[in-house]
């Protein structure tokens, strides 16, 4: 059985006070929309086809999804969740069942999506809906069950329309459903707008479908249906997701100091026995090997660090940096799009960009690769065992041979062959007694 997945994402998210549509805001290193789409992708739902219903900021959503196979359906104007699903009808009705989820619930799991699809196809019910009974109150729709046969769901009552009695119901509508498409199409056609917002509520389809069977699917983790309405809630879910990622690393044999200060993006991989000190950020497609130490306040973005390397404190590795096994990149060293060979060291205050550094080389404090001429980027090659004296300026394209030395303070514009000494600085002059003589002249005046 093929299954359509529809993600509702047309709302503006007024309380975000943002030009960006709400679902494109990031939590845990991914947009909320990307998290929901990933859960759908990972759910293992067979023959799955996904569409996003967008309205506010649809251009930004198109740009964010460029290159993916996800269909984007316009909902304009936004007349409610039922209307949103209706807008995508020509797209989902080709499938026997459709999953509907909200794009602003980034904790939604793949297991829940898969579970809803299976529960629907196995039960033959017209609808299966996820429910939650969190300890804290939430302004969600209340699930009204049949008193005589409590396994049957009769309807969902939105908080604003609920009676005092219904408000006491602790079972809430999570906002994730799986519908049989033929039944859903019929129910949507009957929806009205008799409610305080004058909207078409998807939740009103439940009462219409109840005679054909509606089954509740209680969530194991009620946080899965935590939505985001403002930036405070976004920050809360962001820390939740960050904590989960760090917890996964801890479980996999990585030590993390002060875990709440560490930010690790979802795709990052870290090997066993690596220690991550406080305040570190590991971002993008970063890979850290085993037995490394990423010292305090280093930022690593889409870079690769091989086994046993030591990074930081206060180092910055940018996209395309590859740090070889056992290498040391120290404080205030920035490395971009460069390979640093095994056991090489750049311990203090350097910029290494578009460079290939061999093994066991020593890059002195203050070394700068001048990789940019204002128009193009050029590369610097530093051979095995080379020694670059402090405060050297290597004007690319340039090559320093294996075992060569560069004298401190040099500006190197030409190749330094292997085992040579390259010196490019003014010769020092010493004038004995000059300072004492000056002091005498100053006193006389
Ligand atoms: C909805 C449910 C409520 C449930 C709650 C869970 C309805 C009527 N109510 O309420 O029972 O407990 O979610 O969070 O469905 N959207 C569109 N187009 C629209 C309106 C909304 O795409 O015209 C999207 C929003 O962008 C959002 C999602 O649908 O991603 C939910 O809409 P929202 O207005 O937040 O619904 P709630 O009032 O929270
Ligand atoms: Ca909401």
């Amino acid at each position: 059985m093929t299954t359509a997945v529809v993600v509702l994402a047309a709302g503006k998210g007024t309380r975000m006070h943002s030009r960006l549509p709400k679902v494109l805001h990031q939590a845990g290193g991914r947009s909320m929309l990307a998290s929901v789409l990933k859960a759908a992708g990972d759910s293992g739902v067979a023959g799955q086809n996904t569409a996003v219903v967008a309205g506010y900021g649809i251009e930004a959503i198109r740009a964010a999804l460029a290159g993916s196979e996800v269909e984007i359906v316009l909902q304009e104007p936004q007349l409610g969740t039922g209307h949103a699903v209706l807008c995508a009808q020509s797209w989902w009705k080709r499938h026997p069942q459709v999953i509907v989820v909200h794009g602003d619930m980034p904790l939604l799991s793949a297991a829940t999506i898969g579970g809803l699809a299976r529960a629907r196809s196995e039960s033959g019910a017209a609808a299966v809906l996820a429910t939650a009974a969190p300890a804290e109150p939430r302004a969600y729709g209340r699930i009204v069950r049949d008193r005589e046969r409590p396994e049957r769901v009769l309807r969902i009552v939105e908080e604003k329309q609920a009676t005092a009695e219904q408000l006491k119901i602790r079972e809430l509508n999570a906002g994730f459903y799986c519908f049989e498409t033929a039944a859903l199409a019929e129910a949507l056609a009957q929806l009205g707008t008799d409610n305080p917002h004058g909207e078409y509520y998807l939740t009103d389809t439940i009462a219409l479908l109840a005679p054909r069977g509606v089954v509740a699917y209680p969530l194991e983790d009620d946080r899965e249906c935590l939505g985001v309405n403002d930036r405070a809630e976004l920050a809360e879910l962001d820390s939740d997701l960050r904590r989960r990622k760090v917890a996964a690393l801890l479980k996999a044999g990585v030590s993390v100091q002060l875990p709440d200060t560490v930010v690790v993006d979802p795709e990052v991989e870290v090997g066993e026995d690596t220690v991550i000190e406080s305040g570190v950020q590991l971002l993008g497609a970063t890979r850290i090997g085993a037995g490394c130490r990423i010292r305090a306040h280093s930022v690593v973005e889409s870079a690769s660090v091989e086994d046993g390397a030591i990074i930081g404190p206060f180092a910055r590795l940018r996209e395309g940096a590859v740090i070889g096994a056992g290498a040391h990149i120290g404080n205030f060293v920035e490395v971009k799009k460069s390979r640093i060979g095994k056991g090489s060291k750049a311990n203090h205050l350097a910029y290494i960009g578009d460079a290939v550094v061999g093994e066991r080389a020593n890059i002195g404090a203050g070394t700068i690769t001048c990789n940019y001429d204002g128009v193009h980027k050029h590369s610097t090659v530093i051979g095995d065992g080379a020694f670059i004296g402090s405060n050297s300026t290597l004007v690319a394209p340039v090559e320093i041979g294996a075992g060569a030395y560069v004298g401190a303070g040099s500006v190197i514009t030409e190749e330094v062959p292997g085992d040579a000494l390259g010196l490019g600085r003014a010769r020092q002059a010493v004038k004995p007694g000059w300072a004492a003589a000056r002091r005498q002249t100053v006193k006389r005046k």
Side-chain angles (χ1 to χ4, degrees), residues 9-10 21 23-24 33 52-66 72:
V23 295
L24 290 186
L33 181 58
V52 172
V53 179
Y56 181 79
I58 191 169
E59 288 315 320
I61 289 182
R62 277 210 182 95
L65 296 179
I72 297 167

Side-chain angles (χ1 to χ4, degrees), residues 8-11 22-23 53 75 78-81 84 102-105 140-141 156 158 173-175 177 199 201-203 225 229:
L8 304 188
K22 179 164 75 174
V23 295
V53 179
Q75 184 199 14
Q78 288 100 47
L79 303 177
T81 47
H102 295 180
D104 61 355
M105 294 184 164
Y140 285 14
I156 299 171
E158 290 305 302
N173 174 32
Y177 322 76
E199 290 187 348
Y201 284 171
L202 180 62
T203 43
C225 61
N229 292 307

Side-chain angles (χ1 to χ4, degrees), residues 320-353:
V322 178
I323 312 303
H328 292 191
I329 301 295
N331 40 274
F332 307 107
V333 174
E334 174 178 342
V335 183
K336 186 216 77 169
K337 213 172 162 192
S338 296
R339 170 147 193 114
I340 310 294
K342 267 190 219 165
S344 286
K345 291 177 184 169
N347 274 329
H348 349 254
L349 303 157
Y351 172 61
I352 306 170

